[in-house]
Amino acid sequence: MTTSTRPIAFFDMKAQQALIRAEIDAGIARILDHGRFIQGPEVDAIEAKLAEFTGAAHAVGVSSGTDALQIAMMAEGIGPGDAVFLPAFTYTATAEVPLVLGATPVFVDVDPASFNIDLEDLARRVALVEKEGRLRPRAVIGVDLYGQPANWPAIEGLCEKHGMFALDDAAQAFGGALHGRRLGTWAHATACSFYPTKTLGCYGDGGAILTDDPERAELYRSLRTHGEGKSRYEVLRTGMNGRLDSIQAAILLAKMPLLEGELVARRQAAAWYEAALGGRVATPQVTAGAESAWGIYTILLPDAAVRARVQAAMQAAGVPSAIYYPKPLHHQPAYAAAHAAGITAGAPPLPVSEDLCNRCLSLPMHPYLAEGDIARVAEAVLSSL
Ligand SMILES: *Cc1c(COP(=O)(O)O)cnc(C)c1O
């Protein structure tokens, strides 16, 4: 394989834009003409497409992935006195939302192979919270980290046993599937982000909540518009301004037809990485029955010093890389107090999350990588090992 010499983007939105620029321009022009910038027909159209693509009965467009998580938790009435279990190794938004609502995030360690929430540790922490009796176990937020679906059958089973709400943070995994079923129908609700670099991204902030439950869907529609009732000036509950705007919906509509092919191209890129790097460094392994959306491609290096060396070599070769995430959430200054308050006595440590933060390195991943690009990234990685 000859290596490419062209610039390699970490995420590439330009190559994609070139394919659909005419549709995007026409979509925006239509909105400028009809003038319904908020809750326009494009929002209804993308909600229908998202439901069709994922198999979820209802899709509710919202202003971001973070707001999707927040609205879904507001609808359950989650707040002070409630424990919300979530992985310590994830993006900050997953932990921020329970705190904003006054609930207590309880950090759970992750599985060293899948990087997703560890079910044994989850069960242990739920039991500890129950035993202490100060907080009520109310919800689990499972994250499909890097695009790989979490162990949803097991999470759902545990939630059912304890009467907890199961919320899927699928912000990195739109298009992923488990046992032949797309993410979007596994948990009670699924939060999607359309931040530009996600597997389906708009050109600003955007998100959606997917659910099979018609009552939840109606609540989400009310909560995203200030808790409104059937008429605009009837306020039934405290909500927020959490709508998806028409222009972002039009961008998503233009991108939807590319998505299936892009998911295949991401899988191909991952396979090329595996062929070039497998056996030399720890490459991501897809769990049985899962289909990753390959939102982010992350390898593990032996230790932090080797990672720093590899990252420097990549930079010297003009190849971008990133660290998702350098610090587990329970070590973040903003969350340390909440962590201490979740389980006050004998909280088990979170060794896997801490270890992954020292060793993870994410490589360029997007659907427009050629085999020669991957060869060049791999060469840069291997050159300094
Ligand atoms: C991106 C992301 C979010 C937040 O999505 P926004 O649309 O940026 O608000 C939440 N959780 C995870 C795991 C994410 O990667």
Side-chain angles (χ1 to χ4, degrees):
M1 178 81 258
T2 50
T3 59
S4 77
T5 53
R6 62 177 190 164
I8 297 176
F10 191 79
F11 298 116
D12 186 346
M13 285 154 292
K14 280 194 185 147
Q16 181 198 50
Q17 190 188 105
L19 300 175
I20 49 170
R21 182 61 188 252
E23 283 90 332
I24 285 171
D25 286 342
I28 293 174
R30 267 196 298 278
I31 295 166
L32 296 183
D33 287 339
H34 70 54
R36 292 179 57 197
F37 300 110
I38 304 287
Q39 308 274 98
E42 292 77 11
V43 175
D44 297 330
I46 193 63
E47 286 179 345
K49 289 267 184 224
L50 294 171
E52 183 191 315
F53 188 84
T54 58
H58 306 274
V60 179
V62 296
S63 40
S64 70
T66 306
D67 291 343
L69 293 168
Q70 181 163 335
I71 290 169
M73 299 196 54
M74 284 170 88
E76 306 301 314
I78 289 168
D82 291 335
V84 177
F85 300 85
L86 59 103
F89 188 59
T90 175
Y91 183 56
T92 178
T94 320
E96 170 184 40
V97 169
L99 275 169
V100 163
L101 296 177
T104 304
V106 175
F107 297 108
V108 179
D109 213 359
V110 296
D111 175 84
S114 70
F115 308 155
N116 282 328
I117 201 162
D118 180 321
L119 264 296
E120 235 172 81
D121 193 53
L122 174 60
R124 174 161 58 224
R125 284 172 208 266
V126 171
L128 281 169
V129 168
E130 276 180 342
K131 193 167 135 223
E132 284 195 353
R134 279 178 313 107
L135 300 171
R136 215 159 33 126
R138 274 303 298 284
V140 175
I141 310 180
V143 179
D144 308 308
L145 199 74
Y146 305 146
Q148 160 129 278
N151 186 349
W152 284 106
I155 295 172
E156 280 182 334
L158 189 90
C159 284
E160 188 157 352
K161 195 168 136 203
H162 294 271
M164 290 191 290
F165 174 59
L167 177 55
D168 182 358
D169 179 346
Q172 297 180 4
F174 191 84
L178 192 55
H179 305 304
R181 231 169 86 201
R182 280 240 156 85
L183 293 171
T185 56
W186 283 96
H188 292 115
T190 298
C192 309
S193 166
F194 304 132
Y195 185 80
T197 59
K198 310 283 184 173
T199 53
L200 176 64
C202 52
Y203 290 157
D205 279 308
I209 316 169
L210 309 174
T211 186
D212 277 343
D213 181 343
E215 283 167 25
R216 282 195 169 99
E218 196 174 312
L219 265 174
Y220 301 158
R221 291 183 192 285
S222 168
L223 286 165
R224 75 174 170 185
T225 312
H226 306 291
E228 76 174 12
K230 289 268 177 284
S231 77
R232 187 157 169 200
Y233 293 106
E234 180 187 34
V235 184
L236 296 180
R237 50 188 70 83
T238 304
M240 60 193 279
N241 178 353
R243 296 171 297 234
L244 177 69
D245 68 62
S246 306
I247 289 184
Q248 298 310 334
I251 306 299
L252 294 170
L253 283 169
K255 289 193 181 192
M256 271 314 271
L258 297 179
L259 186 58
E260 293 271 13
E262 289 183 342
L263 289 166
V264 172
R266 285 175 183 275
R267 205 150 55 231
Q268 173 63 260
W272 283 328
Y273 271 133
E274 179 61 33
L277 294 172
R280 312 286 301 275
V281 299
T283 48
Q285 300 303 313
V286 179
T287 48
E291 217 173 278
S292 179
W294 294 108
I296 296 174
Y297 188 91
T298 303
I299 60 170
L300 287 183
L301 293 159
D303 57 43
V306 175
R307 179 175 68 181
R309 208 167 67 220
V310 169
Q311 218 178 2
M314 290 176 72
Q315 192 177 10
V319 176
S321 64
I323 296 175
Y324 299 117
Y325 296 92
K327 205 186 256 223
L329 292 183
H330 62 292
H331 287 173
Q332 289 289 1
Y335 305 139
H339 175 53
I343 298 167
T344 53
L350 296 144
V352 179
S353 299
E354 290 168 15
D355 179 53
L356 293 178
C357 288
N358 288 327
R359 302 201 289 130
C360 63
L361 185 67
S362 302
L363 311 182
M365 173 49 87
H366 58 76
Y368 302 94
L369 285 164
E371 193 174 3
D373 299 327
I374 302 272
R376 200 162 113 233
V377 177
E379 196 176 274
V381 169
L382 296 173
S383 70
S384 58
L385 279 182

